[in-house]
Amino acid sequence: MSKNSKLFLMVAVSSLASQISLNMFQSGFILALSPLMMAIFLYLFKDLDPFKACCWMALFSPLVRFVVELLKTGELGQTFSYVFPDCGFFFGFALSFAYITKGLGYSPYHMFYIKIIISDFLGNCLEQTLRVIEGLTVFSLNTFATFAMIALIRGFIVILVAIALDIYMSLLEKREHEENYKRLVLMASTFESEVYSMRKNMSEIEDIMTNAFSLYRDLDKPEYPESLRDTALLIAKDIHEVKKGYRRVIQGLQDNFLADFTDDSKLSISDLLKILSIDVDQSHEQEGLNITFHSSYETNYSIQNHFAFMSILRNFISNSVDAIARMPKGYRGDVFIRCRDMNRNGKKYCAIEIKDNGIGIPAEDIEFIFVPGFSTKFDEDTGDINRGVGLTLAKDLLEDQFHGTIELSSDSKGTLFTLWFPVDKLTENVNSYSNYSGTIGSEDNVEQYEQGSAILNSGE
């Protein structure tokens, strides 16, 4: 909201509040709600110039009162003489708040309370002075005692409202921070799985580059055309550039995003399930699906490697949502997730069951469901097919990062995935992927790879 908008809101609301008042004297002096509202707005909009704001109040609040009183009495001169001193209050308040008590500031609360009391008291004194000059009343010690009491009470109310506003704003900021953090965790888990996939691809790229350089060396003989040898070297260089591009992307994600989350941060299973629930709700609302997410947990571990854990669960839940999306329009879908401790072969596991009532997986496809590139998600309208790496990544993460296993059962009523996480691996501090380099083959290939890298890098 701009400063002008804030000023307009403050003047409009406070001026209208001037109609809520209590008559104090026969001289026309009233105890109005407008000074109270003005003080609250000054606390809420600390970036406003308080003197300017109060001066605008000195113009509009009496003007509103003047119009209303004139409509009631029809006496122009008498109404003006009664209302005009109101301007004195706001000018007195403005001078005190903006200059005399400027050093007191807005915090701590007791200093702001003193600031309001002094400003309110001096404002009333200036208003009363104008009424004495007009001959509407006379000075009295009892009157000043009343002003002091009014200032104390009105200031106390302002402080209570200020504290309530601060608490409310703090709750809003906390809620916004939590929502932002949840979104970041979801985003980070997606990046984490993609980085993991790219790291694994680096191993394959290195193998291909090693083989290409090996071919280049084998072709370095008189019986082979020189152009063929140059082509083999060119292929090796191109693959090398692809590898460098992968490395830059991975490093950029780790340095600029994933590094913001410290290695010692942990999230509990209950927190992760709440985040997943929000993710499912948002995804199915965007797609117009009717899906209810159900979660329960009998155990609530604090998980160190929560990005990988979240990525695993998201991929399986995403598979469930997709299975429900392929049901007839208007179908009511349910996704269930349950976490519990179970003993298996003498070892303690955290078993996580993810179940849906979607279309199910055909029996002939079950053995291929984790094969890279395999997908049953085909768009008949566009001809697009899903890239088929989500469940593969989830399975690899589960096995590599947590040493876990997967069980799967499916029929026409839905699908059930059971993920077995060894408890000791679930809660330990797992190394990040930054040290992952993959394998590049035999010792001979290692030597060739190092030689090839030296040659390919020499052109940089």
Side-chain angles (χ1 to χ4, degrees):
M1 186 183 294
S2 66
K3 286 187 178 182
N4 288 336
S5 298
K6 292 177 180 178
L7 180 60
F8 175 79
L9 179 64
M10 171 183 169
V11 172
V13 174
S14 299
S15 297
L16 291 175
S18 66
Q19 299 310 301
I20 304 175
S21 60
L22 177 66
N23 290 320
M24 297 295 296
F25 305 104
Q26 294 297 323
S27 62
F29 187 93
I30 61 170
L31 180 62
L33 186 60
S34 52
L36 184 66
M37 295 301 301
M38 181 181 68
I40 293 172
F41 275 113
L42 287 174
Y43 183 82
L44 185 62
F45 300 146
K46 298 182 180 67
D47 56 333
L48 290 180
D49 180 346
F51 184 77
K52 177 181 177 181
C54 292
C55 287
W56 279 104
M57 283 295 303
L59 175 63
F60 281 96
S61 182
L63 180 61
V64 171
R65 185 187 172 200
F66 174 79
V67 171
V68 174
E69 292 295 327
L70 183 61
L71 292 175
K72 289 180 180 179
T73 63
E75 297 290 337
L76 181 62
Q78 182 179 1
T79 301
F80 180 79
S81 64
Y82 274 17
V83 173
F84 172 72
D86 288 358
C87 299
F89 172 84
F90 292 105
F91 278 119
F93 192 99
L95 289 170
S96 176
F97 194 92
Y99 300 109
I100 298 175
T101 62
K102 182 178 180 180
L104 296 177
Y106 290 86
S107 64
Y109 292 119
H110 68 274
M111 299 301 290
F112 183 65
Y113 180 53
I114 296 173
K115 186 184 183 80
I116 291 295
I117 291 174
I118 295 175
S119 301
D120 193 291
F121 179 78
L122 293 179
N124 278 326
C125 288
L126 183 56
E127 179 181 352
Q128 185 70 358
T129 300
L130 292 176
R131 295 189 183 281
V132 171
I133 293 174
E134 287 186 337
L136 299 175
T137 187
V138 295
F139 279 112
S140 169
L141 292 178
N142 291 334
T143 300
F144 289 105
T146 302
F147 290 162
M149 182 62 66
I150 292 172
L152 288 170
I153 296 174
R154 200 145 54 187
F156 181 71
I157 295 174
V158 171
I159 286 297
L160 288 181
V161 174
I163 294 173
L165 285 172
D166 286 343
I167 293 174
Y168 177 69
M169 295 302 295
S170 176
L171 290 175
L172 286 182
E173 290 177 1
K174 181 180 179 182
R175 183 179 300 173
E176 183 179 1
H177 174 75
E178 290 176 349
E179 293 299 321
N180 289 335
Y181 187 76
K182 289 174 183 178
R183 284 191 287 268
L184 283 174
V185 169
L186 289 170
M187 190 183 303
S189 67
T190 300
F191 283 147
E192 190 84 350
S193 63
E194 295 298 334
V195 168
Y196 177 81
S197 176
M198 294 174 71
R199 284 284 182 186
K200 294 195 71 176
N201 290 341
M202 287 281 287
S203 173
E204 298 174 4
I205 292 173
E206 289 166 356
D207 285 341
I208 295 172
M209 191 182 76
T210 302
N211 292 334
F213 183 71
S214 176
L215 177 62
Y216 161 73
R217 293 188 60 186
D218 291 342
L219 293 174
D220 190 16
K221 296 177 182 178
E223 62 266 27
Y224 295 111
E226 185 176 351
S227 60
L228 191 60
R229 184 187 64 178
D230 292 342
T231 300
L233 182 60
L234 181 61
I235 292 173
K237 286 184 176 181
D238 289 342
I239 297 172
H240 184 62
E241 290 301 318
V242 171
K243 186 192 75 171
K244 289 195 298 182
Y246 259 66
R247 183 174 293 153
R248 283 193 292 267
V249 172
I250 293 171
Q251 196 64 44
L253 287 173
Q254 290 180 329
D255 292 345
N256 299 318
F257 186 81
L258 297 176
D260 292 339
F261 297 87
T262 58
D263 292 336
D264 59 352
S265 63
K266 296 181 180 181
L267 284 177
S268 65
I269 288 178
S270 60
D271 290 334
L272 293 171
L273 291 180
K274 290 177 183 177
I275 296 173
L276 283 169
S277 176
I278 295 173
D279 186 40
V280 172
D281 291 340
Q282 291 177 345
S283 63
H284 79 71
E285 285 177 2
Q286 292 174 355
E287 298 175 11
L289 302 175
N290 182 16
I291 299 177
T292 304
F293 183 79
H294 312 267
S295 64
S296 63
Y297 54 94
E298 300 171 8
T299 183
N300 193 24
Y301 294 110
S302 183
I303 300 173
Q304 183 77 37
N305 196 4
H306 50 269
F307 292 147
F309 183 85
M310 173 72 82
S311 181
I312 293 169
L313 297 189
R314 284 191 74 197
N315 275 293
F316 282 102
I317 291 174
S318 176
N319 185 81
S320 295
V321 172
D322 289 335
I324 294 171
R326 296 167 63 191
M327 298 296 286
K329 188 175 181 180
Y331 181 77
R332 185 185 182 282
D334 293 285
V335 177
F336 300 86
I337 181 168
R338 179 173 66 165
C339 306
R340 53 178 176 163
D341 281 338
M342 295 188 70
N343 291 317
R344 193 183 190 195
N345 299 326
K347 190 173 183 179
K348 188 176 182 180
Y349 285 84
C350 175
I352 299 182
E353 299 173 343
I354 301 173
K355 183 179 180 181
D356 64 73
N357 61 343
I359 197 170
I361 303 171
E364 63 271 16
D365 292 339
I366 289 181
E367 60 179 308
F368 304 108
I369 199 69
F370 296 110
V371 175
F374 178 82
S375 178
T376 60
K377 303 165 191 173
F378 179 76
D379 192 324
E380 296 180 355
D381 295 329
T382 64
D384 293 335
I385 188 168
N386 191 278
R387 61 179 180 151
V389 296
L391 292 184
T392 303
L393 276 177
K395 180 175 181 292
D396 289 344
L397 281 170
L398 177 60
E399 293 174 349
D400 295 346
Q401 298 298 307
F402 299 102
H403 298 184
T405 57
I406 300 172
E407 291 180 356
L408 163 63
S409 63
S410 184
D411 54 31
S412 60
K413 296 181 180 179
T415 301
L416 170 63
F417 290 100
T418 304
L419 315 180
W420 297 88
F421 290 87
V423 171
D424 58 341
K425 297 296 182 182
L426 188 66
T427 56
E428 73 175 4
N429 187 359
V430 182
N431 291 330
S432 67
Y433 305 141
S434 58
N435 296 324
Y436 180 87
S437 60
T439 58
I440 58 174
S442 65
E443 293 182 3
D444 292 337
N445 283 341
V446 171
E447 182 182 355
Q448 290 184 6
Y449 170 75
E450 292 175 348
Q451 293 175 0
S453 293
I455 292 175
L456 297 175
N457 283 313
S458 64
E460 297 180 349

